[in-house]
Amino acid sequence: LESERPALRAVIKVTLIKEPTGKPIVLEGLFVGGSAGKAEGKLMQYHPLSLCNNSEDDPPESDFITIVKLERTVTSCLPLLDKARMALAKGAQAVIFDISDDDHAAAELPDTDSLPRPVVLVEAEDAEELMGLVNKNEEARVVIEVKMESKWPFD
Amino acid sequence: QHKQLSGVTSGCQQGGCLTCSDYNGCLSCKPRFFMHLERIGMKQIGVCMTSCPPGFFGTRLPERNTCTKCRSECDSCFNKNFCTRCRAGFYLHLGKCLENCPDGLIRSDTQRECV
């Protein structure tokens, strides 16, 4: 049995498009399964219902990163893994799920290697910061990288 | 703390909402309303409507009524296969939008129809 792989942490650097040289906001999240990797794009919110079989809309642009705030009260039309795949198939460079209000979400996402690009879970202050930008329609570019955990215990 | 609320509340003040949240807008609609996912810049929020906006048609499904986009060459439609007004450069014939009209008919740019 493959030993349980530790979930890798993601570093999410957010730069406001109106302040391209400003200091990035640095947040953290958790990569889903084997999807850890680098991605970059413009932050774009998707409603949870937009990732269902019968939903279709025009993908915004080429390089965008999808953020979805999951809600407990939305009857899920698809398993979360399929929603992630659908978002990536719509052209997202990566998918960020805000799971602050959906405590079952993390359990729904098995340790899978079948995701072609990064899928990251965020919650609490990190999620609130991201969704705060969305709520104010503050256009932002996001860079997602793997967090390098320091090996040296005294760092 | 982000709120998940039912009915009409601050942040998602719409009559048709059954449940909604500040970030996603409407999450579910009252009966007979259609859920339309509206993109405003980087945001995408749910809006409950009695009828869908131009360019969309209403689809009634067991789990929810939704607004679905007409075909790309169609400006307004009854459903995916029956257009009522075509986009510029296309001409309506028997509910379809054509670039060229069948023999015996000519293109009317004002009506965007084969006449």
Side-chain angles (χ1 to χ4, degrees):
Chain A
L1 194 68
E2 196 195 314
S3 67
E4 181 99 10
R5 169 178 39 202
L8 288 174
R9 292 194 67 78
V11 174
I12 305 166
K13 294 176 186 165
V14 186
T15 309
L16 298 187
I17 286 182
K18 67 180 181 189
E19 296 165 21
T21 57
K23 190 168 183 288
I25 305 162
V26 181
L27 308 168
E28 284 198 16
L30 215 56
F31 283 108
V32 167
S35 77
K38 177 164 185 168
E40 182 169 352
K42 196 172 159 184
L43 194 61
M44 202 60 79
Q45 177 197 10
Y46 270 67
H47 189 283
L49 291 179
S50 70
L51 297 174
C52 295
N53 275 331
N54 57 355
S55 51
E56 18 148 306
D57 52 0
D58 305 324
E61 275 150 24
S62 56
D63 63 341
F64 63 95
I65 287 182
T66 294
I67 184 165
V68 183
K69 171 152 197 72
L70 299 175
E71 310 265 6
R72 208 174 311 119
T73 54
V74 175
T75 45
S76 197
C77 54
L78 279 178
L80 202 50
L81 193 58
D82 292 341
K83 279 182 180 277
R85 286 199 188 104
M86 181 178 279
L88 295 172
K90 281 176 185 254
Q93 297 303 301
V95 185
I96 299 173
F97 284 122
D98 171 1
I99 61 169
S100 307
D101 288 322
D102 186 350
D103 24 47
H104 309 301
E108 249 195 75
L109 285 163
D111 187 359
T112 172
D113 280 325
S114 66
L115 293 165
R117 288 191 294 282
V119 177
V120 178
L121 305 182
V122 291
E123 56 186 333
E125 297 83 15
D126 297 295
E128 200 95 8
E129 183 86 37
L130 282 170
M131 289 310 297
L133 292 176
V134 169
N135 222 24
K136 292 178 287 189
N137 236 317
E138 289 269 22
E139 298 207 322
R141 280 198 74 77
V142 167
V143 175
I144 295 173
E145 290 166 336
V146 180
K147 179 175 182 182
M148 292 307 150
E149 307 289 358
S150 55
K151 295 278 184 297
W152 187 246
F154 304 106
D155 269 4
Chain B
Q1 170 59 17
H2 156 65
K3 297 185 290 297
Q4 268 181 46
L5 308 149
S6 60
V8 177
T9 58
S10 68
C12 30
Q13 306 253 17
Q14 292 161 53
C17 264
L18 190 60
T19 58
C20 63
S21 82
D22 281 347
Y23 290 127
N24 285 310
C26 292
L27 301 171
S28 62
C29 299
K30 290 174 184 169
R32 287 190 313 284
F33 281 79
F34 292 97
M35 171 67 79
H36 176 52
L37 300 180
E38 198 168 319
R39 182 161 289 288
I40 308 160
M42 66 196 283
K43 290 177 68 149
Q44 186 178 51
I45 60 166
V47 181
C48 293
M49 310 175 112
T50 49
S51 60
C52 295
F56 292 81
F57 64 95
T59 308
R60 295 196 186 280
L61 299 168
E63 63 276 11
R64 100 184 45 90
N65 302 330
T66 58
C67 293
T68 307
K69 255 172 95 65
C70 301
R71 287 183 188 281
S72 59
E73 65 276 13
C74 177
D75 269 353
S76 61
C77 64
F78 282 139
N79 58 47
K80 208 55 133 171
N81 301 309
F82 198 91
C83 188
T84 54
R85 179 165 172 79
C86 296
R87 193 156 52 89
F90 290 86
Y91 305 88
L92 191 62
H93 180 62
L94 303 178
K96 297 277 191 281
C97 291
L98 310 176
E99 289 190 75
N100 298 298
C101 292
D103 291 345
L105 297 174
I106 60 168
R107 300 188 294 195
S108 157
D109 281 301
T110 48
Q111 295 159 271
R112 295 183 191 169
E113 290 184 8
C114 295
V115 295

